[in-house]
């Protein structure tokens, strides 16, 4: 009897637990759904509304015919074909330096003085050649006298004449050696050689100091003089732009040091090898130097295309330069104006500026963008 009662109670407990689990915890779809999407309205920062828009004068963009341009940067370099090394054929020690790096020198100007032992040897050879020539001349006179008396043969006379000719050649050769070494007078050389400038120009390299040794042709050249009347502009042109330039065409050059002056250069070489790192080729322009171009200066070159393009022009005051970008204000309906981004171009005569893109000809813009910007920010 007790077992039957316990079994009934156990079954009743199981049924109660099952019923509580199944019927008491029902899911609510609304509670499990994500929260509703809230749409926030973002204000257009390029749209402005001003009071009394009639205060701002509107101008109309006009059409401008222009040629495509390519601008690149480069550096000024000396023309290596106009650079001449200053050499010393004699080895020795530098006694005095009369010019320095960066100096402007004239042709024939003394640059440095070198004391050389080579002078003593060359002068000794010259003196010996002079003595031998005198002896040969005396022997030739004697041979002629004896030959006239019939005392010697014609062969002996020819030998004496040959010895005299060789002696003259030795004198000329040893004298020329002294002249090449820098000795102008052969009376009594001092052993000092004056190294002169071979051309007029600017000293662009110096490899010698006071009391330094000069080893002749086997050593670095003491100086290098460059004729800077013409200079080179070496610039990098990217691979995609190489088709727009040709040898013989001209380009406008502007130096960073003198941005208001425009120089003209001629393309005389387009590098046959591309730089694999930047995918560009070296383009060389030759420029006549008016005296202000110095090697190492930064410059920009503008190449002009051949085909004409239609572009837009507006007064320069209508363009606002903000955050390294160009903007214009275009009137909308009512008293609203939209700030539109454009790409500005070159300055044009009459206070106009070219617009490459972003504005079509015939559109109206605010004539003074800076004044409009200040008024809009105050409202």
């Amino acid at each position: 009897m007790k077992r039957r009662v316990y079994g009934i109670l156990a079954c009743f407990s199981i049924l109660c637990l099952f019923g509580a689990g199944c019927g008491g915890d029902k899911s609510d779809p609304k509670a499990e759904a994500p929260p509703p999407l809230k749409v926030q309205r973002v204000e257009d920062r390029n749209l402005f509304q001003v009071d009394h828009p009639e205060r701002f004068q509107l101008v109309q963009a006009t059409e401008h015919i222009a040629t495509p341009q390519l601008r690149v940067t480069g550096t000024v370099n000396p023309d290596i074909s106009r650079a001449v090394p200053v050499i010393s054929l004699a080895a020795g020690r530098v006694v005095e330096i009369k010019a320095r790096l960066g100096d402007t020198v004239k042709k024939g100007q003394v640059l440095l003085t070198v004391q050389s032992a080579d002078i003593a040897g060359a002068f000794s050879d010259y003196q010996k050649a002079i003595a031998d020539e005198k002896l040969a001349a005396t022997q030739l006179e004697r041979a002629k006298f004896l030959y006239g008396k019939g005392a010697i043969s014609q062969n002996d006379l020819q030998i004496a004449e040959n010895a005299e000719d060789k002696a003259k050649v030795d004198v000329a050769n040893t004298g020329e050696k002294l002249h090449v070494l820098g000795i102008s007078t052969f009376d009594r050389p001092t052993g000092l050689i004056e190294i002169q400038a071979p051309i007029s120009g600017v000293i662009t390299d110096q490899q010698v100091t006071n009391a330094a040794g000069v080893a002749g042709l086997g050593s670095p050249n003491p100086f290098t003089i460059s004729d800077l009347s013409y200079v080179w502009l070496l610039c990098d042109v990217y691979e995609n732009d190489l088709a727009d330039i040709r040898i013989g065409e001209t380009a406008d050059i502007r130096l960073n040091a003198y941005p208001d002056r425009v120089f003209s250069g001629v393309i005389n070489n387009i590098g046959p090898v591309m730089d694999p790192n930047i995918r560009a080729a070296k383009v060389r322009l030759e420029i006549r130097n008016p005296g202000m171009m110095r090697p190492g200066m930064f410059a920009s070159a503008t190449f002009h295309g051949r085909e004409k393009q239609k572009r837009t022009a507006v007064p320069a005051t209508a363009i606002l330069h903000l955050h390294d970008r160009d903007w214009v204000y275009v009137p909308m309906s009512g008293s609203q104006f939209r700030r539109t981004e454009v790409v500005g171009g070159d300055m044009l005569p009459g206070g106009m500026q070219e617009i490459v893109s972003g504005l079509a000809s015939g559109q109206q813009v605010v004539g003074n963008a800076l004044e409009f910007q200040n008024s809009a920010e105050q409202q």
Side-chain angles (χ1 to χ4, degrees):
M1 187 65 180
K2 292 181 179 179
R3 291 180 179 177
R4 186 176 297 175
V5 172
Y6 290 153
I8 293 172
L9 292 174
C11 291
F12 181 75
S13 300
I14 293 172
L15 290 174
C16 290
L17 293 173
F18 180 78
C22 295
D25 189 13
K26 295 183 178 180
S27 62
D28 187 2
K30 295 182 179 180
E32 297 179 358
L37 182 63
K38 295 182 180 180
V39 179
Q40 294 183 354
R41 187 174 182 179
V42 179
E43 182 181 358
D44 190 351
R45 296 184 178 181
N46 290 326
L47 191 62
F48 297 86
Q49 186 169 356
V50 297
D51 298 333
H52 306 289
E54 64 276 1
R55 294 183 304 161
F56 305 102
Q57 182 183 2
L58 301 179
V59 295
Q60 187 174 5
T62 59
E63 187 177 85
H64 170 64
I65 304 299
T67 57
Q69 296 180 350
L70 172 64
R71 293 183 178 179
V72 296
T73 58
T75 56
V76 178
N77 295 266
D79 186 347
I80 60 174
S81 64
R82 298 174 183 268
V84 178
V86 179
I87 61 176
S88 174
L89 298 179
R93 183 178 63 89
V94 177
V95 176
E96 183 181 6
I97 297 180
K98 298 183 179 181
R100 296 291 187 273
L101 180 66
D103 291 350
T104 301
V105 296
K106 299 294 183 180
K107 182 178 180 180
Q109 179 179 336
V110 178
L111 303 180
L112 73 159
T113 304
V114 178
Q115 185 177 24
S116 175
D118 296 341
I119 302 300
F123 185 67
S124 175
D125 294 339
Y126 176 73
Q127 288 181 321
K128 291 178 180 178
I130 291 294
D132 292 341
E133 194 275 332
K134 289 182 178 180
L135 178 60
T138 303
Q139 291 177 345
L140 177 59
E141 292 296 330
R142 184 182 300 113
K144 289 181 178 180
F145 176 77
L146 294 176
Y147 179 76
K149 299 295 184 179
I152 61 174
S153 63
Q154 184 178 6
N155 183 47
D156 294 335
L157 177 61
Q158 292 176 347
I159 292 175
E161 291 176 346
N162 185 41
E164 168 65 7
D165 294 337
K166 290 181 178 180
K168 290 182 179 179
V169 171
D170 291 339
V171 171
N173 289 339
T174 54
E176 182 64 22
K177 184 178 180 180
L178 285 173
H179 180 73
V180 170
L181 290 176
I183 302 301
S184 57
T185 175
F186 301 156
D187 296 337
R188 186 176 296 176
T190 60
L192 297 178
I193 305 174
E194 292 183 341
I195 308 300
Q196 300 177 350
I199 63 170
S200 299
V202 179
I203 299 178
T204 55
D205 183 58
Q206 179 178 349
Q207 299 292 333
V208 67
T209 58
N210 286 323
V214 177
L217 293 177
S219 65
N221 300 318
F223 296 103
T224 299
I225 301 177
S226 299
D227 179 9
L228 299 182
S229 59
Y230 284 87
V231 294
W232 287 349
L233 178 65
L234 299 180
C235 52
D236 295 317
V237 177
Y238 291 107
E239 182 178 5
N240 297 338
D241 299 326
L242 286 176
D244 298 332
I245 60 174
R246 294 173 179 83
I247 294 178
E249 293 182 347
T250 59
D252 295 334
I253 311 298
R254 288 179 172 86
L255 299 174
N256 290 5
Y258 308 97
D260 298 333
R261 299 197 57 176
V262 181
F263 307 92
S264 180
V266 180
I267 304 174
N268 60 7
N269 181 265
I270 299 176
V273 180
M274 298 286 297
D275 188 337
N277 297 321
I278 60 175
R279 304 303 305 167
K282 289 290 184 183
V283 176
R284 187 179 69 208
L285 296 95
E286 187 177 24
I287 313 167
R288 183 175 180 83
N289 187 3
M292 60 183 63
M293 294 185 178
R294 295 173 172 84
M297 277 186 167
F298 287 102
S300 63
T302 303
F303 303 98
H304 301 278
R306 299 182 178 181
E307 299 179 357
K308 302 293 184 179
Q309 294 181 350
K310 293 183 179 180
R311 291 180 180 174
T312 307
V314 296
T317 56
I319 301 177
L320 176 68
H321 303 282
L322 185 63
H323 304 305
D324 294 332
R325 299 157 78 178
D326 296 332
W327 306 83
V328 294
Y329 289 98
V330 180
M332 306 295 291
S333 60
S335 59
Q336 291 184 339
F337 293 83
R338 175 169 293 279
R339 186 170 60 187
T340 304
E341 183 179 0
V342 296
V343 178
D346 294 333
M347 296 297 298
L348 303 176
M352 303 291 286
Q353 184 173 355
E354 183 184 68
I355 293 182
V356 179
S357 62
L359 188 70
S361 60
Q363 286 186 273
Q364 288 186 331
V365 295
V366 177
N368 195 324
L370 182 59
E371 180 183 357
F372 180 89
Q373 174 72 15
N374 295 334
S375 300
E377 290 179 350
Q378 293 175 2
Q379 296 183 8

